[in-house]
Amino acid sequence: MAGKQDDLRNRLATALGQHGLILRGGFRPEPADGLPDGTGTVLLVGNAGPAMWRSFAAARAAAAGPSRDPLDRWTETVLTPLAATFGARVLLPFGGPPYWPFQRWAQRADDVHRSPLGLLIHPTFGLWHAYRGALLFERRLPLPALARTVSPCASCVARPCLATCPVGAFTPAGYAVERCREHVRYDPDQSCAGAGCQARAACPVGREFVYGEAQAAFHMAAFIGAAAS
Ligand code: B12
């Protein structure tokens, strides 16, 4: 039985890989996780590095015309039929408020830790990863053993992430969203808008997974609410 279910996970990983997506671990929900009743297993789906961007960019180039929130629409287009094929229900990280607590779920599913920026850091991918959906199965699927490591931020003395933001948006009191957004919008050099968040880029972990320029610019355009190109 376990072999058959491992096989399901392998087939799922292969299907996701065709879209540049990966499995990001899983967990068996407890009441505090806030998942719908009857959920036996949650598998998280996400992206790390630039692989998803290549699939999304190709699909977008082939699409008829511009759409609002194109990455979210693409995610739905990919994950909805895939979930149906595998007998799962899909929950998405966008579309709120309210939002499903993906960062909390991610910490249950995988070896990720909250970084000083608020983003979750992964020992291999660094800050260059995100979540695209949660697949909910009624069954209790076997889960791979999870090795928990100490956060890479614990031994990072220099903390360049906290020293790099040009407007000091990452403060001891939290992330000053509007200060960040104003700067991304109106900075004449457009350095954050073009190359992405400089605080995120200052992190030394997972350098080989850094997003490319087009992806960085896309996420920043979405963040400031400009039409992303
Ligand atoms: C609302 C939101 C935002 C708001 C944040 C508002 C705020 N005051 O913090 C805004 C629009 C500003 C934002 C921005 C970004 N976000 Co955002 N955001 C979300 C969203 C949709 C909901 C968060 C939420 O309210 N959850 C509800 C609570 C109950 O759930 P939770 O898991 O416990 O949420 C915790 C986090 O929100 C966290 N938190 C607190 N402060 C901050 C600050 C930052 C920067 C982050 C990322 C998280 C964070 O505290 C919450 C309570 O524990 C999530 C997706 C999701 N569904 O989780 C993405 C999410 C948290 N964002 C994400 C990302 C990547 C970003 C950006 C980096 C995108 C970009 N531009 O590249 C930017 C950061 C800006 C920058 N400098 O680059 C990723 C994080 C992935 C990771 N590795 O951890 C998520 C998970 C989306 C995804 N698809 O994976 N975001």
Side-chain angles (χ1 to χ4, degrees), residues 163-169 183 187 191-192 198-199:
T164 310
C165 174
V167 292
H183 178 74
D187 169 32
S191 43
C192 304
Q198 296 181 47

Side-chain angles (χ1 to χ4, degrees), residues 24 47 92-95 98-105 107 114 117-121 126-132 170 174-175 177 180-181 184 196-197 199-200 211 215-216 219-223:
R24 304 294 320 273
N47 60 282
L92 299 163
F94 45 84
Y99 296 106
W100 293 107
F102 267 80
Q103 288 191 308
R104 245 188 289 148
W105 293 346
Q107 290 171 85
R114 185 167 300 288
L117 299 184
L119 296 167
L120 298 176
I121 191 160
L127 300 175
W128 304 101
H129 65 102
Y131 300 90
R132 306 293 345 148
F170 299 99
Y175 171 41
V177 177
C180 169
R181 210 191 302 262
V184 175
C197 174
R200 192 179 190 182
Y211 296 164
Q215 183 172 5
H219 289 307
M220 294 317 264
F223 166 58

Side-chain angles (χ1 to χ4, degrees), residues 8-225:
L8 179 141
R9 239 191 6 249
N10 291 338
R11 285 187 290 116
L12 189 52
T14 303
L16 290 168
Q18 285 164 1
H19 304 284
L21 296 171
I22 53 175
L23 281 174
R24 304 294 320 273
F27 63 97
R28 300 249 166 68
E30 288 165 9
D33 294 315
L35 281 144
D37 286 347
T39 307
T41 312
V42 178
L43 297 182
L44 293 186
V45 172
N47 60 282
M52 177 198 70
W53 182 258
R54 288 193 281 269
S55 290
F56 165 65
R60 199 174 177 205
S67 77
R68 208 176 141 68
D69 303 324
L71 183 58
D72 295 349
R73 299 291 77 76
W74 175 81
T75 301
E76 272 182 306
T77 308
V78 168
L79 291 187
T80 306
L82 193 141
T85 303
F86 285 89
R89 176 178 170 193
V90 63
L91 301 181
L92 299 163
F94 45 84
Y99 296 106
W100 293 107
F102 267 80
Q103 288 191 308
R104 245 188 289 148
W105 293 346
Q107 290 171 85
R108 299 260 287 115
D110 198 5
D111 185 28
V112 291
H113 308 264
R114 185 167 300 288
S115 73
L117 299 184
L119 296 167
L120 298 176
I121 191 160
H122 183 278
T124 305
F125 307 138
L127 300 175
W128 304 101
H129 65 102
Y131 300 90
R132 306 293 345 148
L135 299 177
L136 276 45
F137 295 84
E138 284 178 11
R139 283 166 290 164
R140 286 169 62 85
L141 299 176
L143 295 169
L146 174 58
R148 296 260 178 206
T149 61
V150 174
S151 168
C153 303
S155 53
C156 179
V157 178
R159 302 217 147 184
C161 62
L162 291 179
T164 310
C165 174
V167 292
F170 299 99
T171 77
Y175 171 41
V177 177
E178 283 318 311
R179 197 188 304 169
C180 169
R181 210 191 302 262
E182 290 288 292
H183 178 74
V184 175
R185 256 190 204 136
Y186 301 118
D187 169 32
D189 294 339
Q190 290 289 286
S191 43
C192 304
C197 174
Q198 296 181 47
R200 192 179 190 182
C203 177
V205 184
R207 300 302 311 169
E208 62 275 38
F209 293 94
V210 172
Y211 296 164
E213 259 189 49
Q215 183 172 5
F218 173 90
H219 289 307
M220 294 317 264
F223 166 58
I224 60 169

